[in-house]
Structures are given as C-alpha cells and as structure tokens.
C-alpha cells in the first residue's frame, strides 16, 4: 500500500485497475479524459485499452468483453452518454457476466460542454444502478464497489462524477497493482441475443432488482446520516463537501442539522431516506444538477403526507443551474432558516482590472487559414457556415465570424443539408475536424450522398484530437496500446462513400486554399475540401514572423482580418509577439505593404 496524490479521474482509473479491470474503452471528452489515459499509463500488463472511434463503439466493445467474462469499463463525458445511449440501454436488458462499469463525468456550469446534463436521471431512465462520487477518495472506493455490484446483480453500473471531483486531488492509499487474470471467454447462450420476448421478461427482472437494491442501498456504507438537528440537509456528490464546509463554522452545528449524504442515487435508498425524514422537521437539498434527490424525498413526503417538508431547486431555495459552492450553500441556509454562517468571502487588496480575453484560436492554428480562405472565396455570396464540436468552434469569434451553427458532434454536416433543402439559393458549408469526422461525421456524409444533397464539406485535418488533449484517432494510426495500425485515409473514405469531388490543400497556403474553395463553390452535389496541416501543439514551429517597422503603414490588415493573438499594434505599427508566433505565415500573405517576413529559428 502506497499513498499517492491523485486527481479524481486518476482515482477512478486506479480503482478500476485495483478491481482487476481487463478491458477499458472510451472517447476523449473533458472532464473524463484522464481516466482512460491513466489506465494506459499505469497498465500493469494484461489490460486492453483503446480510444474508440466514438462512445457508442466504446460501449459495445466493453459489452462484448463483459459477455466474455472480463471486467470492463467504458469512459465518457455526459454528452458522450447520448451517443452511447443505444447500446447502454440494451446491455441492461441483456445483462453482463464480467462486471461492466460505465464511467460518466458530468459538467456542471457547464464549463466545457454544450449543455448541463445529469447522468443520475439517465440511470433512472435506463434502469441502471448509479453510484455518485463525492471526492477522489470516494471515487477510488466506488469504482471497486461498482464492479462487485455489477457482477452480483448481473447488470452494468453507472459511475457518475462531476468536474470538481474529476479534477481535484487527494492523497489515497493505493495497493500494489497486479496484472488481471484471464477471462473465461465467450460462452454461447440465447441470452446474448436481444429479442422482444426476452426483453419483456428481463424488464420484469429489472424492476424486481430495483426493489432489492433500494433495500440494500439503505445499508450501503457510503450512504450516511450524521448529526441530530431538526433541520435536514440532503446532498449527493461534491455537494456534500460544500455542505460540510458551509456548516462547520456554525456553533453547535451537529445539534442544528441532520445530514443525509447519498452515494447511490439510483435505485434510491428509500429506507434510509425515510429514517432521515422521520428525524427532521424540514429539509433542504443541495445537489448538482437535477433536483434528483429532492424529487425522491418529495415523493416520499407525498406518500406519507409530509406537506411542505422539502426545499430545493423546485421551490427556489437552491439555484437551479450551474455549480454550487460552500458559500452558495451558506447563503441558501441563511435565507431558508435565518442561521448566520461563518464563511466570509475572501478579502484581497484591490487588483488591477483583468483584460478581456475571449477564447480564440491559437496563434498559428491552421484552422484560421481554412476559415479565412473560405471567407474570402465566398465574399458576396449568400453562404451559411455550419460548425461542429472542437477547437474550430472558436471560428465563430470576430473577426472570422465563420461558424453560424454548432449543435453536437457531427451535426454540422447534416444541418448543412437541412438548411440547403429549405434555402436552395444558399451555399452551405460544413466544417468538421478529423477526429469528429471519424467519431460521428461519416454517417452524415453518407446521408448527403444518398439523398443527393448540395453542400461543401470542409474537413479540418490537424492530425490530432486537439481540444481534449491531443489524443490519437484512426487517421493517425497510433493506438492506446502503443501499436501502429494503417491510418484511415479521409480522402479514400470520402471517395468510398461516393463523394467524387475531393480536394486536399494546405490551409496555410491562402492562394491555393482560396482556389480550391472557389472551384468547389462552382460545382454541385456533395464535394469536399480537406484542409490538412498539423496542430501547432504536435509539430515544431517553423520560426517567427517579424515586421519591418519602416515599411509598415499601420493599416491593421494583419490584425483585423484574421485575429491572430500573436499580432499586435505597437507605436502605430504592427508588432509580432515572438513568444506566441509559430511562423505560419498567414499574416505575411495578406499584408498589403509586404512588410512581414520570416525570422527562421536557429534551433
């Protein structure tokens, strides 16, 4: 046993390894990404790890491993659970042999997602047990419990975490990690074929299992009641830490409050909750994100005619969206119960006003060149630019203004088709990254070809999954097991599904990129332009651009046209910040005074 400082995602990974996980699959997505990466990094041997092409594929690989008797885990963020919903819903009806854990990281705020989404509610919808992590230490324990529970009940188990748990750190006693034993292998059985009659019978078993779990979870060690006061506080996940911080400084808080902490929100530990309600006069609920515990307690109160007993998001006593904090909890308690708290907002000396720093594409990002080439080539034409999920979503910012829509991964391709069908005199572009193309874009392209759509697909190929930390994907050929496979060629895929017009250009060459866009714009049907240039984070800078001050006319074209953060104005002339510039050369190509040149790096 050795004590290690681990972030929450690392704790989940090591908890899985300690539990003898044999197969781990996933798709990168903040805030979940580090879990799978840690399994790969700490692999003791004998554990198969992969970045799957998307979350649906990952869940299906994990289900196959579980059917073969192996313990498996699939990792994703809350948005990825939507992609994986089809197999996740079905595997619960089939059941599992080896323990199957579905690790989902929710993103209150949201900080790095399109939406707030509560996986606890999905678990109830799917009839899958949910364990909810409240700290890195608890995440380590719950991961191991989830595998045991999965095998005991013959069902997948959702392990839910949130951003603050995923990325906070704690000292955890980690046992020596050994390579897992071999799995028994797949055994043929009609149970693995999902027919309606089988699903009908298994649905009844699911409901019966839920009743048993309600009772078992009421005695689960991670569900706790503490304190003996008349005011009840119910919470789950990271909210428990906020509550403890908020009430710790209140004199006699143990006699004022009774605290219920729920680590297994579904099935809800009804017996424990009833005991809690019996011991309190009124209850307030703190949780992220849905009023999940609140609704469960309210239902219990309704059944037993405890009217007006529960306060929370539904009653306006607690904020309905975003993250909570210890200070927020204290403020809610003060408003609801007139109990002054001990927490004080931090007092710091007056700091200088922070500059406005909106998110922008990195200096030297090849996506900037692709967007700008399309913008120049389509100037004066009625055009719509459908975007997608990734770094290139930032193309919506001024001065580029080149992302008109962004819905979910892969949707830019199909949204462009819908817009064109309704607005036939519009030139429709769909921008998609290389990783997103493989994850969820190919289906949309097939749909476009089959239905004779009229659109231009712009694949922004920067040779990595950039936004989530530069993970590999099928177009690179490097796997998480360290092996090399033949890279999947995007142009061949496009031609294989029927796209006959495919051009590949370097987006840092504005002239050839504009020519490619203009040529595609004059064609009809589905045509594609692959803008191929590596992300600046995975390639060596070419050098640094510099401005000849004596020739600069101060026109600001280099700043106002492309918005590169490395290009500034200084003393009336353009200035290039050498600490940011990568030497991409875009600014030089559009400078009307021809006063920007390359300063080649000596290294």
């Amino acid at each position: 046993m050795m004590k290690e400082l681990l972030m929450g995602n690392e704790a989940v990974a090591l908890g899985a390894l300690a539990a003898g996980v044999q197969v781990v699959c996933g798709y990168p997505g903040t805030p979940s990404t580090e879990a799978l990466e840690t399994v790969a990094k700490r692999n003791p041997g004998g554990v198969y790890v992969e970045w799957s092409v998307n979350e649906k594929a990952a869940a299906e690989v994990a289900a196959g491993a579980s059917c073969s008797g192996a313990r498996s885990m699939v990792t994703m963020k809350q948005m990825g659970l939507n992609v994986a919903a089809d197999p996740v819903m079905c595997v619960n009806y089939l059941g599992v042999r080896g323990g199957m854990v579905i690790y989902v990281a929710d993103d209150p705020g949201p900080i790095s997602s399109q939406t707030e989404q509560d996986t606890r509610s999905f678990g109830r919808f799917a009839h899958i047990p949910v364990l909810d992590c409240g700290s890195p230490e608890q995440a380590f324990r719950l991961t191991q419990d989830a595998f045991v529970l999965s095998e005991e009940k013959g069902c997948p188990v959702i392990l839910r975490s949130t951003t603050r748990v995923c990325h906070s750190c704690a000292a955890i006693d980690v046992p020596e990690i050994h390579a897992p034993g071999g799995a028994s292998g797949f055994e043929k059985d009609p149970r693995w074929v999902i027919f309606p009659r089988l699903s009908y019978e298994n649905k009844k078993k699911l409901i019966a299992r839920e009743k048993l779990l309600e009772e078992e979870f009421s005695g689960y060690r991670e569900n706790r009641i503490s304190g003996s006061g008349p005011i009840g506080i119910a919470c789950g996940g990271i909210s428990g830490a906020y509550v403890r911080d908020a009430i710790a400084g209140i004199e006699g808080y143990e006699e004022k409050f009774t605290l219920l902490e729920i680590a297994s929100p579904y099935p809800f530990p009804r017996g424990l909750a009833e005991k809690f309600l019996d011991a309190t006069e009124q209850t307030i609920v703190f949780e992220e994100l849905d009023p999940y515990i609140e609704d469960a307690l309210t239902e219990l109160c309704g059944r037993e005619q405890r009217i007006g007993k529960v306060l929370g998001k539904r009653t306006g006593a607690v904020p309905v969206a975003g993250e909570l904090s210890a200070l927020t909890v204290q403020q809610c308690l003060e408003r609801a119960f007139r109990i002054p708290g001990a927490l004080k907002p931090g007092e710091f000396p007056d700091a200088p006003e922070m500059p406005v720093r909106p998110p922008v594409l990195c200096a030297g990002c090849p996506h900037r060149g692709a967007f700008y080439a399309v913008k120049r080539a389509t100037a004066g034409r009625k055009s719509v630019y459908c975007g997608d999920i990734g770094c290139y979503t930032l193309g919506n910012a001024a001065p580029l203004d080149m992302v008109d829509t962004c819905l979910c991964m892969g949707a830019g391709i199909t949204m462009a088709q819908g817009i064109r069908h309704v607005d036939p005199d519009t030139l429709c572009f769909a921008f998609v990254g290389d990783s997103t193309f493989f994850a969820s874009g190919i289906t949309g392209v097939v749909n476009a070809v089959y239905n004779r759509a009229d659109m231009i697909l712009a694949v922004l190929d920067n040779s990595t999954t950039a936004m989530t930390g530069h993970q590999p994907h099928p177009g690179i050929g490097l796997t998480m097991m360290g092996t090399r496979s033949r890279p999947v060629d995007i142009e061949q895929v496009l031609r294989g599904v029927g796209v006959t017009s495919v051009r590949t250009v370097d987006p840092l060459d504005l002239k050839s990129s504009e020519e490619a866009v203009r040529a595609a714009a004059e064609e009809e049907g589905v045509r594609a332009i692959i803008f191929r240039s590596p992300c600046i984070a995975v390639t060596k800078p070419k050098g640094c651009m510099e401005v000849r001050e004596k020739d600069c006319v101060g026109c600001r074209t280099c700043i106002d046209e492309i918005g590169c953060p490395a290009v500034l104005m200084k003393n009336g002339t353009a200035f290039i910040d050498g600490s940011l510039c990568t030497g991409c050369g875009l600014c030089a190509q559009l400078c009307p005074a021809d006063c920007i040149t390359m300063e080649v790096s000596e290294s």
Side-chain angles (χ1 to χ4, degrees), residues 69-93:
R71 286 190 165 184
S72 66
M73 183 168 75
V74 54
T75 72
M76 63 195 73
K77 68 184 294 179
Q78 89 282 11
M79 301 302 295
L81 184 56
N82 301 331
V83 180
D86 198 4
V88 167
M89 292 289 293
C90 294
V91 74
N92 194 31
Y93 277 75

Side-chain angles (χ1 to χ4, degrees), residues 68-317:
S68 301
R71 286 190 165 184
S72 66
M73 183 168 75
V74 54
T75 72
M76 63 195 73
K77 68 184 294 179
Q78 89 282 11
M79 301 302 295
L81 184 56
N82 301 331
V83 180
D86 198 4
V88 167
M89 292 289 293
C90 294
V91 74
N92 194 31
Y93 277 75
L94 282 183
V96 303
R97 279 182 62 209
M100 179 178 173
V101 174
I102 303 166
Y103 176 56
V104 186
D106 286 358
D107 187 22
I111 298 171
S112 58
S113 308
Q114 304 98 294
T115 66
E116 290 189 324
Q117 183 176 313
D118 195 323
T119 295
R120 296 175 303 168
S121 296
F122 185 96
R124 178 173 54 192
F125 167 65
H127 299 286
I128 296 176
V130 180
L131 301 183
D132 192 9
C133 304
S135 67
E137 302 99 316
Q138 191 179 50
F140 181 72
R141 298 192 301 269
L142 292 188
T143 304
Q144 297 171 76
D145 289 350
F147 281 105
V148 174
L149 178 64
S150 175
E151 290 179 355
E152 284 183 351
K153 304 303 179 185
C155 66
V157 172
I158 291 174
L159 180 68
R160 183 239 191 185
S161 190
T162 53
T163 304
R164 297 303 170 190
V165 176
C166 295
H167 293 159
S168 61
C169 294
I172 298 173
D173 289 321
V174 180
E176 184 177 353
I177 303 295
H178 300 284
S184 58
F186 183 76
E187 298 175 3
K188 293 189 178 184
D189 191 313
R191 65 175 285 196
W192 302 124
V193 182
I194 190 166
F195 280 116
R197 183 64 190 179
L198 177 65
S199 296
Y200 169 76
E201 295 298 333
N202 284 350
K203 173 67 177 293
K204 292 185 286 186
K205 294 177 182 178
L206 295 183
I207 302 305
R209 182 181 69 210
E210 289 173 355
K211 298 296 184 184
L212 292 174
L213 282 172
E214 281 182 4
E215 297 177 10
E216 292 182 21
F217 281 165
S218 287
Y220 181 39
R221 71 176 188 279
E222 300 291 341
N223 293 326
R224 309 184 186 95
I225 295 178
S226 58
S228 57
I231 299 174
I233 303 178
C235 54
I238 191 65
S239 301
Y242 300 148
V243 168
R244 288 190 295 274
D245 286 347
I247 67 176
I250 300 174
E251 184 178 353
Y253 70 90
E254 290 183 338
E255 287 73 40
K256 287 186 173 68
F257 303 106
T258 297
L259 180 61
L260 171 66
E261 296 181 78
I262 300 293
S264 61
Y266 185 79
F268 194 70
R270 186 181 302 271
L272 185 69
E274 289 174 341
K275 180 181 177 181
F276 165 75
L277 289 171
D278 288 340
T280 57
E281 296 175 1
Q282 191 164 36
T283 290
I284 187 168
V285 185
F286 296 100
E287 56 189 324
E288 297 171 341
L289 293 155
D290 293 345
Y292 183 91
I293 297 173
E294 179 185 350
D295 285 349
L297 292 176
T298 301
E299 180 189 353
L300 282 178
C301 289
R303 288 185 178 186
E304 300 176 16
Q305 297 183 343
R306 294 183 176 102
I307 306 302
K309 174 107 174 177
V310 180
L311 305 176
K313 295 175 184 284
R314 299 286 190 197
T315 67

Side-chain angles (χ1 to χ4, degrees), residues 345-419:
E347 295 182 3
F348 302 97
D350 292 338
E353 186 176 348
M354 295 294 290
V356 178
R357 302 179 72 179
V360 295
L361 295 169
C362 297
C365 176
H367 299 339
R368 180 176 284 104
F371 281 128
Y372 188 65
V374 174
K375 184 175 186 177
R376 289 224 303 200
T378 59
R381 297 191 64 163
K382 183 181 178 182
S383 305
V384 172
Y385 311 108
C386 295
D388 221 298
I389 305 299
C391 294
Y392 48 94
T393 309
L394 299 174
N396 73 320
L400 292 172
D401 294 317
M402 286 296 290
V403 174
D404 295 320
T405 72
C406 182
L407 180 63
C408 61
M409 287 190 68
I413 298 171
T414 29
M415 286 190 73
Q417 297 167 44
I419 292 171

